[in-house]
Amino acid sequence: MSKSLLCALPALLILAFAADYGFAQEATQLQIEFKDTVKPLSVGKEIRFVVVGKIGGDRGNVDISLLEFTFKPEGWGEVKSGPDKTTGIIEVKKLVSAGDIFDETEYVVRAAFKGEGEGAIRDKNRFKIALGLPIIELKFFYSGGGNWTEFDERSLARLDVNRSFEVSHPDIIKVIAMEGKFYVKFLKESDVKPSVTVIFPNGDRATLVIDISWVRSQMAESSGFPALTYEKLSEMLAKLRKDVELLDAFEGINWQNADNQKSLIRRDFTTIRGLIERATFPAGEVANLMGEYNDILNEAGRRKLGYREGGAGASGPLRYLELLTEHERLSWKFGNE
């Protein structure tokens, strides 16, 4: 999860700057941009820079206090605060000889967020197979008083799709011809049982009522993906409520640990909200789930995550992370307050 940006310098130096970022569920590239000329390097030289990253869909400068920097060769530089929170300063502490004067020396500074966390949701699409509107072949027979014989190609050719057929409901069915055969094509589902009448060349007529009730309501889901149930969503909400309530007793060992816990709970809020939105349960059950979700969301809006940089139980001051902003609580909530 690293990229290197090589900048050619005079003399025989290559200065490489790399940035790493691992945060929650989204890998984001960081890029170091220099505000001062980087060449030539000399001990004591100061180079202003910003770190640009794409966070939450927007690309912008990252607060330097959220980053930590490493140098290779070790100790060749040091990062100091700049004139504002998104500007840092690299002070060159020493230059390192690569040995031969014609060798190239690579100076690397690497930026990464303090405390990296990762969360993952394994998901896959669900699939269904269902019967669409049918096209049904029409069969024709004749009998001289004994057995019934199916029309051959020559007999079928004497029928015309436009003149030999009448349908009871033209908005529901129509007769079509394909490769010398005739079919009834359904145009929409209906509780009505339409009929088709064929008018034979000798004037005889025959009417067939078509019942396709056996076609409808047949559907099968793909295997390996358990169907989401009201009970399962209720269990997920109960776990989310417990995680939120336990925040009073939560004391992260550091900012990273507290922020990881915050990211997991926020992920669960957005995941469960999406599942409720797509649920096809009866309206009353969906309303119950939405109400329970809103209750937990309101509770989360009052909670904070405590952490000590020195670790749980350390003497350092207890600091807090806000779980949700008021804007997030209102935007994630079902309905309007």
Side-chain angles (χ1 to χ4, degrees), residues 4 21 57 60 68 92 102 117 135 141 162 185 195 237 284 299 301 325:
S4 293
Y21 175 40
E68 55 187 9
V92 180
F102 296 105
I135 297 177
F141 301 85
N162 295 314
K185 179 179 181 180
S195 64
L237 284 170
E299 183 64 26
T325 66

Side-chain angles (χ1 to χ4, degrees), residues 5-46:
L5 174 64
L6 301 182
C7 304
L9 299 178
L12 297 169
L13 299 177
I14 292 178
L15 183 59
F17 294 85
D20 279 354
Y21 175 40
F23 188 68
Q25 303 170 53
E26 181 182 25
T28 302
Q29 177 181 338
L30 298 180
Q31 180 179 353
I32 296 176
E33 296 181 356
F34 306 104
K35 300 301 183 181
D36 297 317
T37 303
V38 299
K39 54 185 180 182
L41 286 184
S42 59
V43 175
K45 182 182 178 85
E46 293 186 344

Side-chain angles (χ1 to χ4, degrees), residues 306-332:
Y307 70 95
R308 299 180 192 273
E309 288 298 345
S315 58
L318 188 63
R319 302 179 181 183
Y320 294 94
L321 281 180
E322 188 177 49
L323 183 59
L324 296 175
T325 66
E326 180 63 10
H327 174 74
E328 287 171 333
R329 185 186 70 81
L330 293 176
S331 62
W332 291 3

Side-chain angles (χ1 to χ4, degrees), residues 102-279:
F102 296 105
D103 288 342
E104 296 179 333
T105 302
E106 184 180 71
Y107 292 84
V108 178
V109 57
R110 185 180 300 279
F113 273 94
K114 295 178 181 178
E116 298 180 287
E118 181 175 337
I121 301 175
R122 296 183 62 86
D123 196 12
K124 64 178 182 180
N125 290 325
R126 300 176 68 183
F127 303 95
K128 286 184 178 181
I129 183 172
L131 294 175
L133 293 173
I135 297 177
I136 303 171
E137 183 182 357
L138 293 173
K139 296 282 191 177
F140 304 92
F141 301 85
Y142 67 93
S143 172
N147 296 330
W148 291 94
T149 304
E150 187 173 354
F151 276 27
D152 55 22
E153 292 182 4
R154 183 177 178 180
S155 299
L156 285 173
R158 298 188 63 184
L159 299 178
D160 182 87
V161 70
N162 295 314
R163 296 192 299 267
S164 303
F165 299 93
E166 295 176 353
V167 297
S168 61
H169 295 79
D171 60 322
I172 300 177
I173 63 171
K174 71 176 182 178
V175 177
I176 61 174
M178 293 190 298
E179 299 180 352
K181 296 182 178 182
F182 298 94
Y183 300 83
V184 171
K185 179 179 181 180
F186 275 77
L187 305 177
K188 67 178 183 181
E189 283 195 5
S190 174
D191 292 330
V192 174
K193 297 177 182 179
S195 64
V196 57
T197 298
V198 58
I199 306 166
F200 294 101
N202 66 353
D204 282 357
R205 302 166 69 95
T207 299
L208 179 68
V209 177
I210 306 173
D211 180 5
I212 61 164
S213 59
W214 54 273
V215 173
R216 282 177 263 149
S217 302
Q218 297 187 45
M219 187 174 293
E221 291 191 9
S222 57
S223 60
F225 198 109
L228 185 65
T229 64
Y230 175 81
E231 289 73 23
K232 179 62 177 177
L233 263 178
S234 297
E235 290 177 8
M236 295 172 70
L237 284 170
K239 179 182 181 303
L240 180 58
R241 179 182 289 279
K242 183 176 180 180
D243 289 342
V244 171
E245 291 175 347
L246 286 176
L247 289 182
D248 279 349
F250 179 84
E251 187 175 318
I253 60 174
N254 52 30
W255 178 89
Q256 171 189 352
N257 183 262
D259 194 68
N260 285 350
Q261 183 71 3
K262 171 182 174 179
S263 297
L264 291 173
I265 294 177
R266 288 167 59 88
R267 178 203 67 188
D268 289 345
F269 267 114
T270 55
T271 299
I272 295 174
R273 192 185 198 286
L275 293 174
I276 294 175
E277 285 180 326
R278 297 190 296 272

